[in-house]
Structures are given as C-alpha cells and as structure tokens.
Amino acid sequence: MPKKQPEEPFEPKGTIVVMAIFVVTLIVLWGSVYYILISRGVTL
Amino acid sequence: MTTKPIIEIDPYEKTWMRISLGLLVVFIIMVGVAGYALGFQLPASETRVNPQTVATDPNSPWSNPGLRELAPGKYEVYILAQIWLFNPREITVPVGSTVTFYVTSKDVQHGFKIQDTNINMQIIPGYVSTLTHVFDKPGEYPYICTEYCGSGHAAMFGKIIVEP
C-alpha cells in the first residue's frame, strides 16, 4: 500500500496579492470618481 | 433517505465574499449620501413642450431664450438647442450665482454638458431638461453637445462666463 503523502499547506499567496491589488485599484478608482463628483458641486 | 450535500467554502473564499459584500455596501451608502444628504439631483424632465412651436410661440420662454435674473445671485437660463447651435451661445453671471438651466430641443436629440460641473443632460425634443448649479469659482465654463446630431455637431458649443 502506497504511503500517504502529507497534505501541502494551502496558502495561495500570489492570488491574495493579485486580489489585494484588485481591491485597492477598485477603491481608488471608485473613490477618485466620487471625489470628482463631490468637488464639482451639487446639482440641485 | 436523502442527505443534504455539504458545501464547504474555503476560508479564503469566505473572506473574499465578505470584502466584496462590504465594498458593495460602502459604495451604496456613499451613493445614498450624495443623493439624500448632499442633495445631488438627476436631470428632470418636468415639463413637456411642442417642439414645432417652442421657438415661435410668444408664450414660450424659448421664443426669447437667454438669462433671466430672478433675484440677486439667482438666475434661470432658457436654452434652445437646435442643429447646430445653442441659443444663447454665451451667458455671463457673477460668481456665486445659482443658475437653473431649462434646456429643450426643437429638432433632434442633443446633449448638454457643462465642463467642470455635474451638469450633463440629454435634450430630447418635446421635453425640458432641468438642473441647477452654483457657480462659486470665476472663469469660463464651456458647454457642448454630447449627442451626435449631424455634420455640424462639433460646432455646437457655447460658454458660461462667471465674473469675479
């Protein structure tokens, strides 16, 4: 009977970095558009 | 006997779902703050007009388009869009003025966007698009047609001069 290999720890560091970049980009882009909207003044 | 399938969600996936949901909630709250707390309005079509007579009917404000002073610092502007010009092409107001725009078209669909402001409206024949803006910085604010309306579309522009 083959000897069972120990499970490799699941730590997708590369994916986490890519997703973190994605989240930060999303927040920065959304935030900059929101800032432009606010700074241009209210439409009544 | 049937057994319910067990769905195992990885902790990383759970974290990602929480972040996504959190961002969505924050963005929706910010839109709500802009709309309800700060008072941002979308272009409204409050009135309907007859595009065939809007420019000629003596009772129509667009038969004599231009700036009207309602009170010191408070103005309304009636702008008639047509191929390929805005009437009037130039408007002058003092800084700090609150200006309400009433824009309509007598022929085809146009757009009306004032640079460096949040005024951006579709101008549809038969409808009056309305928005109000406070010009609190002196300078020139060009306005342009944002809807392709024919060969002279690129020449369809004007400007608001805000005097100090």
Side-chain angles (χ1 to χ4, degrees):
Chain A
M1 192 170 175
K3 195 177 175 182
K4 195 178 177 184
Q5 296 288 322
E7 280 194 20
E8 191 179 332
F10 182 64
E11 290 178 9
K13 288 177 184 169
T15 304
I16 291 170
V17 170
V18 170
M19 297 314 280
I21 292 170
F22 178 74
V23 168
V24 170
T25 306
L26 194 68
I27 291 170
V28 168
L29 287 176
W30 208 95
S32 65
V33 170
Y34 193 77
Y35 173 75
I36 291 169
L37 176 83
I38 300 295
S39 64
R40 283 181 173 179
V42 176
T43 47
L44 303 169
Chain B
M1 186 178 159
T2 57
T3 55
K4 283 186 178 178
I6 299 167
I7 300 173
E8 285 188 24
I9 301 175
D10 188 87
Y12 287 108
E13 282 184 308
K14 281 184 183 174
T15 305
W16 178 242
M17 282 192 281
R18 286 190 190 109
I19 291 170
S20 303
L21 193 64
L23 279 177
L24 200 62
V25 170
V26 169
F27 290 167
I28 289 172
I29 288 172
M30 288 168 78
V31 170
V33 167
Y36 292 100
L38 300 177
F40 276 87
Q41 296 293 311
L42 296 174
S45 294
E46 294 171 357
T47 316
R48 294 197 67 176
V49 291
N50 183 346
Q52 292 177 323
T53 59
V54 71
T56 53
D57 182 355
N59 295 320
S60 162
W62 292 274
S63 63
N64 180 27
L67 187 73
R68 276 95 157 140
E69 185 174 8
L70 302 176
K74 194 167 183 185
Y75 297 87
E76 59 185 19
V77 188
Y78 290 88
I79 296 177
L80 186 66
Q82 61 190 88
I83 49 173
W84 291 283
L85 59 91
F86 287 110
N87 187 3
R89 292 195 80 155
E90 194 173 299
I91 299 159
T92 304
V93 292
V95 70
S97 297
T98 301
V99 184
T100 302
F101 295 89
Y102 297 96
V103 191
T104 191
S105 167
K106 73 171 193 177
D107 39 47
V108 299
Q109 185 171 344
H110 297 282
F112 181 75
K113 177 180 168 52
I114 306 175
Q115 297 289 95
D116 299 327
T117 73
N118 287 320
I119 303 265
N120 189 359
M121 307 188 282
Q122 288 286 304
I123 311 303
I124 301 167
Y127 291 86
V128 180
S129 297
T130 304
L131 268 179
T132 299
H133 181 77
V134 180
F135 290 92
D136 49 10
K137 288 178 192 161
E140 290 190 359
Y141 296 77
Y143 51 86
I144 56 169
C145 177
T146 52
E147 191 74 36
Y148 182 71
C149 54
S151 59
H153 166 70
M156 196 169 165
F157 56 85
K159 67 179 174 185
I160 298 163
I161 301 167
V162 180
E163 292 180 332

